Amino acid sequence: MNYDTILVEEKKAIGTITINRPKKLNALNRQTIQELHDAFEALETNKAIKVIILTGSGEKAFVAGADISEFADFTVEEGGKLAAEGQKLLFDFVENLKTPVIAAINGFALGGGLELAMACHFRIASDNARVGLPEVSLGVIPGYGGTQRLPQLIGKGRAMELIMTASMIDAERALNYGLVNHVTSQENLVSLCEDLANKISKNSPVAIGYAIKAVNAGFKNTDGYSAEIKAFGKCFGTSDFKEGTTAFLNKRTADFPGE
Ligand code: COA
């Protein structure tokens, strides 16, 4: 598929999506959100792809936020619609994918940019990364899930402070808060993500999909423990489970069919 605002690369089991509007610091406009949705959907349905890495083009930004020029004149109704459609099309969509998504934060991740990174399953940052939710400095609040996912990841008090002050934190503080899992140099960022992706891709894609579902269930208005029990039971009906247990008992490496 051809895209104008993103680049998609497939290398063995890894699909990499690069948001490619460097002159606008990769700000998310309507077209980018739609193209990201389409690219994530295409990679999710490609059985060869086991992990997706999401990053930004250039050395300065992952994503500097939603494109402010697009919503500056919006009405109350249009504002509500923007958040609802964006959450459905991209942010919730990414969070609920069966394929693991790693955010490679290569610079500024602000507003919708941090919200997108938080919708990914985990985050790795380069040492020049600066992240925050500056929306209240524009007279608006985070609308792509930021008021929910930030407290989930770093705790309510820290999230309140970060949102209210509209300030940015550097990569070290983000690491210390548990917002990102690792910090590395910009040159090593993608290779570290690829190393992790390669480790993940050796495991059962079906079981990983169920694990994502069970973990996410605990953060919704549902009983996470019941969701885990249900997903755990379902694993026993999969070919991946047969292969994983047979390989272990026969002292060989598993070769998961992904079914
Ligand atoms: N929406 C639209 N355009 C954006 C943008 C955004 N969220 N963030 C950056 N840009 C554009 C700038 O308008 C500028 O475009 P121009 O060259 O046509 O004027 C270009 O990207 C480069 O940004 P600039 O501000 O000149 O870079 P900088 O290095 O001086 O500052 C930031 C970098 C990230 C601190 C600054 O761009 C910024 O504060 N961006 C907005 C962050 C924000 O509030 N995000 C939340 C939105 S809800």
Side-chain angles (χ1 to χ4, degrees):
M1 222 181 296
N2 277 336
Y3 302 107
D4 294 329
T5 66
I6 62 171
L7 306 168
V8 181
E9 190 196 10
E10 292 175 24
K11 202 164 71 179
K12 293 188 182 157
I14 304 174
T16 301
I17 303 177
T18 305
I19 301 163
N20 191 30
R21 298 182 74 212
K23 286 189 182 144
K24 294 290 174 191
L25 303 187
N26 304 319
L28 297 175
N29 61 12
R30 199 178 283 270
Q31 184 184 7
T32 314
I33 287 177
Q34 182 64 53
E35 290 190 350
L36 282 168
H37 170 89
D38 295 345
F40 275 114
E41 190 170 55
L43 291 172
E44 168 92 334
T45 50
N46 180 346
K47 267 199 82 178
I49 297 298
K50 303 278 177 11
V51 182
I52 302 169
I53 296 172
L54 175 67
T55 193
S57 181
E59 292 179 352
K60 208 167 158 184
F62 173 72
V63 171
D67 193 321
I68 298 167
S69 65
E70 252 189 10
F71 62 72
D73 298 329
F74 272 14
T75 61
V76 169
E77 287 71 28
E78 288 169 325
K81 201 164 159 229
L82 180 77
E85 286 180 355
Q87 289 195 18
K88 186 165 172 230
L89 206 55
L90 184 59
F91 298 79
D92 293 353
F93 186 75
V94 169
E95 182 173 70
N96 293 311
L97 289 176
K98 294 191 185 93
T99 312
V101 184
I102 306 173
I105 304 177
N106 57 312
F108 288 114
L110 301 174
L114 179 57
E115 290 175 298
L116 182 55
M118 291 193 295
C120 296
H121 299 119
F122 62 90
R123 290 142 292 283
I124 315 295
S126 58
D127 47 22
N128 66 320
R130 299 189 73 198
V131 310
L133 294 178
E135 283 87 347
V136 298
S137 72
L138 298 166
V140 68
I141 68 165
Y144 287 145
T147 65
Q148 305 306 299
R149 292 191 182 100
L150 190 62
Q152 285 167 13
L153 286 163
I154 71 173
K156 186 174 170 185
R158 285 168 169 171
M160 285 286 196
E161 180 183 331
L162 211 55
I163 291 169
M164 289 174 191
T165 58
S167 48
M168 297 183 210
I169 57 171
D170 63 16
E172 276 310 313
R173 170 124 6 145
L175 181 66
N176 178 261
Y177 278 7
L179 187 50
V180 303
N181 292 9
H182 306 276
V183 175
T184 185
S185 64
Q186 195 155 48
E187 306 83 73
N188 290 334
L189 179 63
V190 170
S191 66
L192 174 57
C193 291
E194 287 176 349
D195 288 349
L196 290 163
N198 284 328
K199 268 193 185 170
I200 292 169
S201 67
K202 291 193 172 53
N203 298 317
S204 160
V206 180
I208 287 173
Y210 282 139
I212 290 171
K213 198 172 177 183
V215 172
N216 282 344
F219 293 97
K220 301 204 171 101
N221 288 332
T222 50
D223 176 2
Y225 290 96
S226 299
E228 182 184 279
I229 290 166
K230 208 166 151 196
F232 180 79
K234 279 187 178 168
C235 291
F236 288 76
T238 68
S239 306
D240 275 11
F241 175 70
K242 279 217 157 34
E243 168 60 11
T245 47
T246 306
F248 177 81
L249 295 172
N250 289 310
K251 302 193 186 306
R252 64 169 173 80
T253 307
D255 182 13
F256 291 108
E259 286 164 5

mmCIF file of all heavy atoms in Angstrom, residues 21-28 60-61 63-71 108 110-113 115 132-135 137-138 140-141 168, ligand 1:
data_model
loop_
_atom_site.group_PDB
_atom_site.id
_atom_site.type_symbol
_atom_site.label_atom_id
_atom_site.label_comp_id
_atom_site.label_asym_id
_atom_site.label_seq_id
_atom_site.Cartn_x
_atom_site.Cartn_y
_atom_site.Cartn_z
ATOM 1 N N ARG A 21 6.651 12.988 8.790
ATOM 2 C CA ARG A 21 6.381 14.409 8.519
ATOM 3 C C ARG A 21 7.424 15.225 9.290
ATOM 4 O O ARG A 21 7.083 16.028 10.173
ATOM 5 C CB ARG A 21 4.983 14.813 8.991
ATOM 6 C CG ARG A 21 3.822 14.095 8.326
ATOM 7 C CD ARG A 21 2.499 14.630 8.867
ATOM 8 N NE ARG A 21 2.197 15.949 8.356
ATOM 9 C CZ ARG A 21 1.512 16.880 9.060
ATOM 10 N NH1 ARG A 21 1.107 16.638 10.280
ATOM 11 N NH2 ARG A 21 1.273 18.065 8.522
ATOM 12 N N PRO A 22 8.718 14.990 9.023
ATOM 13 C CA PRO A 22 9.754 15.577 9.881
ATOM 14 C C PRO A 22 9.700 17.102 9.959
ATOM 15 O O PRO A 22 10.014 17.676 11.004
ATOM 16 C CB PRO A 22 11.066 15.097 9.250
ATOM 17 C CG PRO A 22 10.725 14.626 7.887
ATOM 18 C CD PRO A 22 9.293 14.203 7.921
ATOM 19 N N LYS A 23 9.255 17.754 8.871
ATOM 20 C CA LYS A 23 9.210 19.229 8.908
ATOM 21 C C LYS A 23 8.173 19.730 9.909
ATOM 22 O O LYS A 23 8.253 20.860 10.377
ATOM 23 C CB LYS A 23 8.895 19.783 7.511
ATOM 24 C CG LYS A 23 10.099 19.676 6.591
ATOM 25 C CD LYS A 23 9.868 20.414 5.304
ATOM 26 C CE LYS A 23 11.098 20.229 4.425
ATOM 27 N NZ LYS A 23 10.762 20.115 3.018
ATOM 28 N N LYS A 24 7.177 18.901 10.199
ATOM 29 C CA LYS A 24 6.150 19.252 11.201
ATOM 30 C C LYS A 24 6.355 18.423 12.465
ATOM 31 O O LYS A 24 5.404 18.175 13.226
ATOM 32 C CB LYS A 24 4.740 19.009 10.628
ATOM 33 C CG LYS A 24 4.390 19.940 9.474
ATOM 34 C CD LYS A 24 4.198 21.372 9.957
ATOM 35 C CE LYS A 24 3.990 22.345 8.803
ATOM 36 N NZ LYS A 24 4.059 23.760 9.249
ATOM 37 N N LEU A 25 7.579 17.979 12.662
ATOM 38 C CA LEU A 25 7.938 17.145 13.826
ATOM 39 C C LEU A 25 6.975 15.964 13.985
ATOM 40 O O LEU A 25 6.618 15.570 15.089
ATOM 41 C CB LEU A 25 8.010 17.986 15.106
ATOM 42 C CG LEU A 25 8.984 19.183 15.064
ATOM 43 C CD1 LEU A 25 9.094 19.844 16.429
ATOM 44 C CD2 LEU A 25 10.381 18.750 14.600
ATOM 45 N N ASN A 26 6.554 15.433 12.827
ATOM 46 C CA ASN A 26 5.710 14.231 12.756
ATOM 47 C C ASN A 26 4.359 14.387 13.460
ATOM 48 O O ASN A 26 3.782 13.401 13.956
ATOM 49 C CB ASN A 26 6.467 13.003 13.307
ATOM 50 C CG ASN A 26 7.778 12.788 12.580
ATOM 51 O OD1 ASN A 26 7.839 12.942 11.362
ATOM 52 N ND2 ASN A 26 8.842 12.457 13.300
ATOM 53 N N ALA A 27 3.873 15.636 13.519
ATOM 54 C CA ALA A 27 2.562 15.888 14.147
ATOM 55 C C ALA A 27 1.482 15.056 13.453
ATOM 56 O O ALA A 27 1.518 14.832 12.241
ATOM 57 C CB ALA A 27 2.217 17.377 14.063
ATOM 58 N N LEU A 28 0.526 14.600 14.266
ATOM 59 C CA LEU A 28 -0.525 13.697 13.773
ATOM 60 C C LEU A 28 -1.696 14.490 13.206
ATOM 61 O O LEU A 28 -2.455 15.096 13.968
ATOM 62 C CB LEU A 28 -1.059 12.827 14.921
ATOM 63 C CG LEU A 28 -0.095 11.866 15.609
ATOM 64 C CD1 LEU A 28 -0.798 11.194 16.780
ATOM 65 C CD2 LEU A 28 0.440 10.829 14.617
ATOM 66 N N LYS A 60 14.796 14.514 15.579
ATOM 67 C CA LYS A 60 14.281 15.454 16.571
ATOM 68 C C LYS A 60 13.024 14.981 17.303
ATOM 69 O O LYS A 60 12.856 15.274 18.487
ATOM 70 C CB LYS A 60 13.969 16.770 15.848
ATOM 71 C CG LYS A 60 14.075 17.976 16.722
ATOM 72 C CD LYS A 60 14.067 19.249 15.901
ATOM 73 C CE LYS A 60 13.643 20.403 16.779
ATOM 74 N NZ LYS A 60 13.518 21.643 16.036
ATOM 75 N N ALA A 61 12.156 14.290 16.570
ATOM 76 C CA ALA A 61 10.851 13.990 17.178
ATOM 77 C C ALA A 61 10.350 12.586 16.849
ATOM 78 O O ALA A 61 10.539 12.094 15.736
ATOM 79 C CB ALA A 61 9.813 15.005 16.694
ATOM 80 N N VAL A 63 6.820 12.127 17.814
ATOM 81 C CA VAL A 63 5.625 12.866 17.357
ATOM 82 C C VAL A 63 5.431 14.049 18.314
ATOM 83 O O VAL A 63 5.334 13.847 19.527
ATOM 84 C CB VAL A 63 4.355 11.979 17.401
ATOM 85 C CG1 VAL A 63 3.100 12.806 17.132
ATOM 86 C CG2 VAL A 63 4.437 10.811 16.415
ATOM 87 N N ALA A 64 5.375 15.276 17.765
ATOM 88 C CA ALA A 64 5.230 16.470 18.625
ATOM 89 C C ALA A 64 3.772 16.797 18.918
ATOM 90 O O ALA A 64 3.458 17.925 19.293
ATOM 91 C CB ALA A 64 5.929 17.660 18.000
ATOM 92 N N GLY A 65 2.879 15.827 18.740
ATOM 93 C CA GLY A 65 1.495 16.035 19.146
ATOM 94 C C GLY A 65 0.509 15.926 18.012
ATOM 95 O O GLY A 65 0.889 15.696 16.865
ATOM 96 N N ALA A 66 -0.749 16.116 18.360
ATOM 97 C CA ALA A 66 -1.776 16.238 17.323
ATOM 98 C C ALA A 66 -1.473 17.520 16.561
ATOM 99 O O ALA A 66 -0.900 18.453 17.116
ATOM 100 C CB ALA A 66 -3.148 16.314 17.978
ATOM 101 N N ASP A 67 -1.864 17.549 15.294
ATOM 102 C CA ASP A 67 -1.570 18.729 14.468
ATOM 103 C C ASP A 67 -2.475 19.886 14.903
ATOM 104 O O ASP A 67 -3.671 19.897 14.609
ATOM 105 C CB ASP A 67 -1.785 18.391 12.984
ATOM 106 C CG ASP A 67 -1.199 19.461 12.087
ATOM 107 O OD1 ASP A 67 -1.308 20.657 12.441
ATOM 108 O OD2 ASP A 67 -0.626 19.101 11.046
ATOM 109 N N ILE A 68 -1.870 20.846 15.601
ATOM 110 C CA ILE A 68 -2.643 21.939 16.208
ATOM 111 C C ILE A 68 -3.354 22.769 15.132
ATOM 112 O O ILE A 68 -4.471 23.250 15.343
ATOM 113 C CB ILE A 68 -1.713 22.831 17.071
ATOM 114 C CG1 ILE A 68 -1.118 21.996 18.216
ATOM 115 C CG2 ILE A 68 -2.475 24.037 17.644
ATOM 116 C CD1 ILE A 68 0.051 22.640 18.951
ATOM 117 N N SER A 69 -2.729 22.869 13.961
ATOM 118 C CA SER A 69 -3.326 23.704 12.904
ATOM 119 C C SER A 69 -4.661 23.131 12.418
ATOM 120 O O SER A 69 -5.488 23.851 11.876
ATOM 121 C CB SER A 69 -2.358 23.839 11.727
ATOM 122 O OG SER A 69 -2.157 22.582 11.125
ATOM 123 N N GLU A 70 -4.885 21.837 12.645
ATOM 124 C CA GLU A 70 -6.114 21.207 12.148
ATOM 125 C C GLU A 70 -7.327 21.459 13.045
ATOM 126 O O GLU A 70 -8.451 21.403 12.583
ATOM 127 C CB GLU A 70 -5.903 19.691 12.037
ATOM 128 C CG GLU A 70 -5.793 19.223 10.617
ATOM 129 C CD GLU A 70 -5.793 17.712 10.511
ATOM 130 O OE1 GLU A 70 -6.067 16.994 11.492
ATOM 131 O OE2 GLU A 70 -5.491 17.231 9.426
ATOM 132 N N PHE A 71 -7.074 21.675 14.358
ATOM 133 C CA PHE A 71 -8.240 21.768 15.255
ATOM 134 C C PHE A 71 -8.406 23.134 15.915
ATOM 135 O O PHE A 71 -9.302 23.315 16.751
ATOM 136 C CB PHE A 71 -8.217 20.633 16.299
ATOM 137 C CG PHE A 71 -7.039 20.636 17.243
ATOM 138 C CD1 PHE A 71 -6.911 21.576 18.240
ATOM 139 C CD2 PHE A 71 -6.060 19.646 17.143
ATOM 140 C CE1 PHE A 71 -5.835 21.553 19.120
ATOM 141 C CE2 PHE A 71 -4.975 19.615 18.013
ATOM 142 C CZ PHE A 71 -4.863 20.581 19.000
ATOM 143 N N PHE A 108 11.169 14.225 20.712
ATOM 144 C CA PHE A 108 9.956 14.717 21.380
ATOM 145 C C PHE A 108 8.795 13.726 21.213
ATOM 146 O O PHE A 108 8.516 13.267 20.098
ATOM 147 C CB PHE A 108 9.490 16.032 20.751
ATOM 148 C CG PHE A 108 10.361 17.220 21.072
ATOM 149 C CD1 PHE A 108 11.080 17.860 20.072
ATOM 150 C CD2 PHE A 108 10.451 17.698 22.374
ATOM 151 C CE1 PHE A 108 11.879 18.958 20.356
ATOM 152 C CE2 PHE A 108 11.249 18.802 22.669
ATOM 153 C CZ PHE A 108 11.966 19.429 21.654
ATOM 154 N N LEU A 110 5.161 14.382 22.487
ATOM 155 C CA LEU A 110 4.349 15.348 23.225
ATOM 156 C C LEU A 110 2.876 15.177 22.865
ATOM 157 O O LEU A 110 2.546 14.827 21.723
ATOM 158 C CB LEU A 110 4.787 16.769 22.870
ATOM 159 C CG LEU A 110 6.254 17.093 23.176
ATOM 160 C CD1 LEU A 110 6.615 18.472 22.651
ATOM 161 C CD2 LEU A 110 6.528 17.008 24.676
ATOM 162 N N GLY A 111 2.003 15.448 23.817
ATOM 163 C CA GLY A 111 0.570 15.401 23.540
ATOM 164 C C GLY A 111 0.185 14.074 22.898
ATOM 165 O O GLY A 111 0.501 12.993 23.413
ATOM 166 N N GLY A 112 -0.460 14.165 21.733
ATOM 167 C CA GLY A 112 -0.870 12.948 21.015
ATOM 168 C C GLY A 112 0.296 12.018 20.715
ATOM 169 O O GLY A 112 0.096 10.814 20.547
ATOM 170 N N GLY A 113 1.502 12.546 20.683
ATOM 171 C CA GLY A 113 2.690 11.708 20.444
ATOM 172 C C GLY A 113 2.975 10.809 21.635
ATOM 173 O O GLY A 113 3.222 9.602 21.479
ATOM 174 N N GLU A 115 0.708 10.116 23.857
ATOM 175 C CA GLU A 115 -0.488 9.258 23.961
ATOM 176 C C GLU A 115 -0.381 8.056 23.018
ATOM 177 O O GLU A 115 -0.768 6.949 23.361
ATOM 178 C CB GLU A 115 -1.754 10.079 23.648
ATOM 179 C CG GLU A 115 -2.063 11.091 24.747
ATOM 180 C CD GLU A 115 -3.226 11.992 24.400
ATOM 181 O OE1 GLU A 115 -3.122 12.734 23.400
ATOM 182 O OE2 GLU A 115 -4.243 11.961 25.116
ATOM 183 N N GLY A 132 5.903 14.598 27.312
ATOM 184 C CA GLY A 132 4.962 15.295 28.181
ATOM 185 C C GLY A 132 3.604 15.441 27.531
ATOM 186 O O GLY A 132 3.414 15.103 26.357
ATOM 187 N N LEU A 133 2.656 15.925 28.333
ATOM 188 C CA LEU A 133 1.295 16.185 27.838
ATOM 189 C C LEU A 133 1.023 17.675 28.028
ATOM 190 O O LEU A 133 0.481 18.076 29.073
ATOM 191 C CB LEU A 133 0.279 15.319 28.606
ATOM 192 C CG LEU A 133 0.374 13.798 28.393
ATOM 193 C CD1 LEU A 133 -0.658 13.053 29.252
ATOM 194 C CD2 LEU A 133 0.190 13.414 26.928
ATOM 195 N N PRO A 134 1.404 18.515 27.045
ATOM 196 C CA PRO A 134 1.303 19.971 27.230
ATOM 197 C C PRO A 134 -0.067 20.571 26.902
ATOM 198 O O PRO A 134 -0.197 21.793 26.797
ATOM 199 C CB PRO A 134 2.365 20.505 26.253
ATOM 200 C CG PRO A 134 2.425 19.490 25.170
ATOM 201 C CD PRO A 134 2.048 18.168 25.777
ATOM 202 N N GLU A 135 -1.102 19.715 26.762
ATOM 203 C CA GLU A 135 -2.393 20.200 26.256
ATOM 204 C C GLU A 135 -2.975 21.375 27.040
ATOM 205 O O GLU A 135 -3.562 22.284 26.459
ATOM 206 C CB GLU A 135 -3.415 19.054 26.218
ATOM 207 C CG GLU A 135 -3.231 18.087 25.056
ATOM 208 C CD GLU A 135 -2.251 16.959 25.337
ATOM 209 O OE1 GLU A 135 -1.520 17.047 26.347
ATOM 210 O OE2 GLU A 135 -2.225 15.992 24.569
ATOM 211 N N SER A 137 -1.648 23.779 28.315
ATOM 212 C CA SER A 137 -1.024 25.059 27.924
ATOM 213 C C SER A 137 -1.710 25.621 26.675
ATOM 214 O O SER A 137 -1.510 26.778 26.326
ATOM 215 C CB SER A 137 0.475 24.880 27.686
ATOM 216 O OG SER A 137 0.696 24.156 26.490
ATOM 217 N N LEU A 138 -2.516 24.770 26.004
ATOM 218 C CA LEU A 138 -3.272 25.213 24.825
ATOM 219 C C LEU A 138 -4.751 25.410 25.168
ATOM 220 O O LEU A 138 -5.569 25.679 24.290
ATOM 221 C CB LEU A 138 -3.165 24.167 23.706
ATOM 222 C CG LEU A 138 -1.771 23.876 23.153
ATOM 223 C CD1 LEU A 138 -1.794 22.594 22.321
ATOM 224 C CD2 LEU A 138 -1.277 25.035 22.304
ATOM 225 N N VAL A 140 -6.716 22.962 26.405
ATOM 226 C CA VAL A 140 -7.469 21.750 26.124
ATOM 227 C C VAL A 140 -6.874 20.659 27.027
ATOM 228 O O VAL A 140 -5.913 20.921 27.750
ATOM 229 C CB VAL A 140 -7.380 21.454 24.594
ATOM 230 C CG1 VAL A 140 -5.981 21.050 24.148
ATOM 231 C CG2 VAL A 140 -8.401 20.433 24.149
ATOM 232 N N ILE A 141 -7.461 19.461 27.027
ATOM 233 C CA ILE A 141 -6.877 18.370 27.818
ATOM 234 C C ILE A 141 -6.439 17.261 26.868
ATOM 235 O O ILE A 141 -6.830 17.248 25.706
ATOM 236 C CB ILE A 141 -7.855 17.812 28.889
ATOM 237 C CG1 ILE A 141 -9.048 17.083 28.236
ATOM 238 C CG2 ILE A 141 -8.339 18.926 29.813
ATOM 239 C CD1 ILE A 141 -9.838 16.211 29.211
ATOM 240 N N MET A 168 7.714 19.028 30.260
ATOM 241 C CA MET A 168 8.332 17.853 29.626
ATOM 242 C C MET A 168 9.310 17.233 30.616
ATOM 243 O O MET A 168 9.939 17.945 31.388
ATOM 244 C CB MET A 168 9.157 18.281 28.415
ATOM 245 C CG MET A 168 8.391 18.905 27.310
ATOM 246 S SD MET A 168 9.546 19.252 25.959
ATOM 247 C CE MET A 168 8.758 20.678 25.229
HETATM 248 N N1 COA B 1 1.096 20.620 15.442
HETATM 249 C C1 COA B 1 1.353 21.267 14.291
HETATM 250 N N2 COA B 1 2.578 21.683 13.935
HETATM 251 C C2 COA B 1 3.586 21.420 14.788
HETATM 252 C C3 COA B 1 3.384 20.748 16.013
HETATM 253 C C4 COA B 1 2.066 20.351 16.329
HETATM 254 N N3 COA B 1 1.768 19.677 17.450
HETATM 255 N N4 COA B 1 4.568 20.656 16.653
HETATM 256 C C5 COA B 1 5.485 21.234 15.849
HETATM 257 N N5 COA B 1 4.898 21.704 14.724
HETATM 258 C C6 COA B 1 5.523 22.397 13.598
HETATM 259 C C7 COA B 1 5.818 23.850 13.926
HETATM 260 O O1 COA B 1 4.670 24.654 13.762
HETATM 261 C C8 COA B 1 6.908 24.138 12.928
HETATM 262 O O2 COA B 1 6.317 24.339 11.657
HETATM 263 P P1 COA B 1 6.808 25.573 10.711
HETATM 264 O O3 COA B 1 8.283 25.279 10.459
HETATM 265 O O4 COA B 1 5.953 25.427 9.491
HETATM 266 O O5 COA B 1 6.594 26.796 11.495
HETATM 267 C C9 COA B 1 7.683 22.820 12.851
HETATM 268 O O6 COA B 1 6.784 21.836 13.325
HETATM 269 C C10 COA B 1 8.928 22.806 13.718
HETATM 270 O O7 COA B 1 8.543 23.133 15.043
HETATM 271 P P2 COA B 1 9.237 24.305 15.894
HETATM 272 O O8 COA B 1 8.266 24.731 16.957
HETATM 273 O O9 COA B 1 9.779 25.372 14.998
HETATM 274 O O10 COA B 1 10.460 23.504 16.561
HETATM 275 P P3 COA B 1 11.215 23.853 17.908
HETATM 276 O O11 COA B 1 12.412 22.991 17.944
HETATM 277 O O12 COA B 1 11.393 25.321 18.066
HETATM 278 O O13 COA B 1 10.193 23.386 19.087
HETATM 279 C C11 COA B 1 8.632 21.886 20.137
HETATM 280 C C12 COA B 1 9.886 22.035 19.235
HETATM 281 C C13 COA B 1 8.236 20.410 20.142
HETATM 282 C C14 COA B 1 8.978 22.316 21.568
HETATM 283 C C15 COA B 1 7.491 22.753 19.598
HETATM 284 O O14 COA B 1 7.316 22.473 18.207
HETATM 285 C C16 COA B 1 6.155 22.548 20.254
HETATM 286 O O15 COA B 1 5.949 23.014 21.369
HETATM 287 N N6 COA B 1 5.198 21.875 19.568
HETATM 288 C C17 COA B 1 3.858 21.701 20.047
HETATM 289 C C18 COA B 1 3.808 20.664 21.137
HETATM 290 C C19 COA B 1 2.394 20.507 21.675
HETATM 291 O O16 COA B 1 1.838 21.392 22.291
HETATM 292 N N7 COA B 1 1.804 19.328 21.413
HETATM 293 C C20 COA B 1 0.504 18.999 21.887
HETATM 294 C C21 COA B 1 -0.523 19.257 20.855
HETATM 295 S S1 COA B 1 -2.138 18.867 21.475
#
